[in-house]
Amino acid sequence: MLGKKRQGGLFLHCACAGDVIGALQGLCKAAAKMCGRTACTLAPDDVGKACEYQNKRGERKRPGWRDGDSDKYKPSYNKCPQSNSPVLLSLKHFQKDADSSERVLAAMRWGLIPSWFTETDPSKMQYNTSNCRSDTMAEKTLYKSSDEKGSTHGNGSRLLTMAGLFDCWEPPNGGEPLYSYTVITVDASKAMNWIHDRQV
DNA sequence: CCAGACGTTGTT
DNA sequence: GTCTGG
DNA sequence: CCAGACGTTGTT
DNA sequence: GTCTGG
């Protein structure tokens, strides 16, 4: 929606199996890769298939891509920050009258550009916003900003889903609105932190 | 009040 | 936009 | 996240 | 060491 603001809860879908295996084999070094790289190799149509869901009336639905977005997303085994990846979120973010249980796929830039960003070029963003820490995000100005919070939960056969935040930034000198997101990170579980224990 | 910041990860 | 520091 | 750039003077 | 680009 065009309408401004911000920060909806969302679900980013990325097939990360390749990275997970890499982490187990390569241990620490590959594990480190997880926060700044990912894999998302499904063709745009297959992402839709993999994200089928039931709406609140119990109907089985397959989310569609927002206009033009299926072309912005390029499948790769090595997706880096600043590239576009699929984000599954409530249709309500784009259509006010939509049922909030209906979902839609959008291609968004990995690395959140807040709506108040004033440079003309997103690459001028000097802070790393590809991840955001779950334990502090509520206190950070960059992620608090304005209004609503969305909520939903991901589903979908073999995809690894990750929660994130997104925003819509409009270039000061005009041009396409830029949707971008950040992935929420948490401490490693006990089962995994022998591979990688995050610094404080 | 205004000016300035606003972030994460892993040290390869 | 929203918060902090001075 | 990693890889690669980064600078000037005077020709080694 | 620090920044940029991908």
Side-chain angles (χ1 to χ4, degrees):
Chain A
M1 105 171 184
L2 327 143
K4 350 229 93 252
K5 305 276 108 117
R6 259 261 76 223
Q7 256 81 303
L10 64 98
F11 290 85
L12 157 70
H13 277 76
C14 282
C16 280
D19 265 346
V20 172
I21 291 165
L24 293 174
Q25 290 173 341
L27 301 183
C28 303
K29 194 164 181 188
K33 252 183 98 167
M34 289 297 291
C35 24
R37 294 280 170 168
T38 190
C40 196
T41 59
L42 294 181
D45 286 353
D46 291 333
V47 176
K49 258 182 236 174
C51 293
E52 285 183 351
Y53 64 96
Q54 275 197 327
N55 66 13
K56 68 163 67 138
R57 299 165 54 188
E59 300 162 327
R60 183 134 188 96
K61 301 291 282 287
R62 179 178 302 182
W65 283 90
R66 293 235 305 144
D67 266 3
D69 274 19
S70 63
D71 297 326
K72 295 184 195 163
Y73 154 61
K74 307 293 183 200
S76 170
Y77 284 99
N78 189 21
K79 298 290 293 178
C80 64
Q82 284 80 63
S83 72
N84 289 314
S85 285
V87 170
L88 180 66
L89 70 168
S90 172
L91 183 58
K92 194 135 195 162
H93 288 291
F94 302 104
Q95 287 177 210
K96 210 165 172 248
D97 59 334
D99 182 323
S100 61
S101 72
E102 299 295 352
R103 306 178 191 178
V104 67
L105 280 167
M108 293 193 194
R109 177 192 197 268
W110 185 10
L112 186 140
I113 305 297
S115 55
W116 44 264
F117 187 62
T118 52
E119 300 291 333
T120 54
D121 184 348
S123 67
K124 301 268 174 49
M125 179 70 186
Q126 56 178 317
Y127 302 100
N128 181 347
T129 55
S130 28
N131 300 120
C132 86
R133 299 180 66 115
S134 63
D135 48 340
T136 54
M137 56 186 280
E139 326 307 328
K140 300 285 185 181
T141 23
L142 202 157
Y143 299 124
K144 271 168 110 169
S145 299
S146 39
D147 52 346
E148 91 221 73
K149 261 166 203 159
S151 71
T152 6
H153 45 289
N155 201 342
S157 31
R158 320 221 134 219
L159 298 181
L160 172 61
T161 66
M162 294 176 273
L165 300 173
F166 75 92
D167 203 355
C168 178
W169 171 76
E170 316 207 23
N173 299 340
E176 290 270 298
L178 176 69
Y179 282 86
S180 60
Y181 67 88
T182 185
V183 175
I184 298 171
T185 61
V186 297
D187 287 333
S189 66
K190 253 188 203 161
M192 295 294 284
N193 68 8
W194 63 274
I195 295 176
H196 170 56
D197 196 9
R198 186 172 61 171
Q199 297 291 104
V200 185

